Amino acid sequence: MSIFDQEKQLFENWSANRAEFVKDGAVDESSYLNSPISLCFVMKEINGKKDESWDLREFLRKGGRAQTWDNISRWTHGIHNLPLEDKWSQYSSISNEFRIKQLRKVVAFNLKKSSGSHTTKINELNNASSDDREWIRRQFQIYNADITICCGTGGQLKMALGLDQIDWEVTSRGVNYLEYAPRKYIIAFSHPAARTKCSFLHYSLLDAVREIYL
């Protein structure tokens, strides 16, 4: 069964009796499966979308928006080109065409399937991660990603997957991660829209992936 068919079946069951449910997952299945390192980005919630038919995958196929998705596209390109490393001047200006190309290679899903506000209410995220943990686990297993990057969601995903009793390991530069299966990693990282210089986030993540995976 294809990734898309597995997602479709999962979401039909998961969204039953819910007035609002935001679909997400593999932006383009073929591009994802053919990537040199399969990447899954685990987000918190979508911001401000109240349309029950809204689909994050369709949004990202069009390039998403600069806030949040510029950095995700940078990270994807950078990781896929390791061990080579481009200078920041190559990433300082991101076009929509660049985002479209890079985002087609990833999985991006939210722990909370209903929309929220600009600032996530942590108690609502924690409740969704706990209440929906079996559904989250099933979605996570569909992708079998080499590297899962938690964008401010490391603790919640760890709990949802039943890994909360396993201590994080730490890279030499202080990034938390764990190897939950042979050559399968979860990295606890910052949200891509964190109020930190984009270059600092970019090279910090690349350093972590280089140390953990290569």
Side-chain angles (χ1 to χ4, degrees), residues 31-39 76-77 79-82 105 146 213:
S31 298
Y32 173 73
L33 293 174
N34 288 308
S35 295
I37 301 174
S38 53
L39 298 176
T76 300
H77 184 272
I79 292 170
H80 284 161
N81 282 276
L82 287 173
K105 303 173 185 177
D146 297 322
Y213 194 79

Side-chain angles (χ1 to χ4, degrees), residues 10 31 33 77 98 101-102 105 127 133 146 151 182 184 192 197 200 203:
L10 177 72
S31 298
L33 293 174
H77 184 272
F98 181 86
K101 182 176 181 179
Q102 299 308 316
K105 303 173 185 177
N127 289 340
R133 58 187 178 275
D146 297 322
C151 300
K184 300 293 181 181
K197 287 188 70 172
F200 291 178
Y203 292 111

Side-chain angles (χ1 to χ4, degrees), residues 40-44 72 75 149-154 187-192:
C40 175
F41 293 91
V42 179
M43 317 295 284
K44 298 176 182 179
I72 295 289
W75 298 351
I149 299 167
C150 295
C151 300
T153 57
I187 297 176
F189 202 62
S190 300
H191 191 278

Side-chain angles (χ1 to χ4, degrees), residues 8 39 82 95 112 150 162 171 186 199 205 209 214:
K8 184 174 184 294
L39 298 176
L82 287 173
S95 67
K112 182 170 171 280
C150 295
T171 69
I186 295 172
S199 56
L205 180 58
V209 172
L214 299 186

Side-chain angles (χ1 to χ4, degrees), residues 105-119:
K105 303 173 185 177
V106 309
V107 163
F109 76 83
N110 293 291
L111 295 178
K112 182 170 171 280
K113 296 301 193 214
S114 57
S115 62
S117 59
H118 179 69
T119 302

Side-chain angles (χ1 to χ4, degrees), residues 71-170:
N71 271 341
I72 295 289
S73 64
R74 289 180 176 114
W75 298 351
T76 300
H77 184 272
I79 292 170
H80 284 161
N81 282 276
L82 287 173
L84 300 177
E85 188 175 284
D86 288 325
K87 295 180 179 179
W88 183 247
S89 59
Q90 302 299 312
Y91 295 114
S92 58
S93 179
I94 299 298
S95 67
N96 192 61
E97 289 72 23
F98 181 86
R99 286 199 305 273
I100 289 172
K101 182 176 181 179
Q102 299 308 316
L103 294 176
R104 292 181 73 88
K105 303 173 185 177
V106 309
V107 163
F109 76 83
N110 293 291
L111 295 178
K112 182 170 171 280
K113 296 301 193 214
S114 57
S115 62
S117 59
H118 179 69
T119 302
T120 298
K121 295 179 180 178
I122 193 65
N123 61 316
E124 292 183 2
L125 178 64
N126 288 340
N127 289 340
S129 301
S130 177
D131 294 345
D132 284 353
R133 58 187 178 275
E134 180 60 24
W135 296 114
I136 292 168
R137 183 187 64 81
R138 292 183 189 180
Q139 185 173 13
F140 179 83
Q141 291 177 337
I142 288 173
Y143 308 117
N144 194 33
D146 297 322
I147 297 176
T148 298
I149 299 167
C150 295
C151 300
T153 57
Q156 289 86 2
L157 180 66
K158 200 162 171 271
M159 180 277 297
L161 298 180
L163 302 173
D164 43 319
Q165 299 303 312
I166 301 176
D167 291 333
W168 292 108
E169 297 183 63
V170 185

Side-chain angles (χ1 to χ4, degrees), residues 40-52:
C40 175
F41 293 91
V42 179
M43 317 295 284
K44 298 176 182 179
E45 62 185 2
I46 205 68
N47 179 16
K49 296 293 183 183
K50 299 299 183 183
D51 181 355
E52 65 182 30

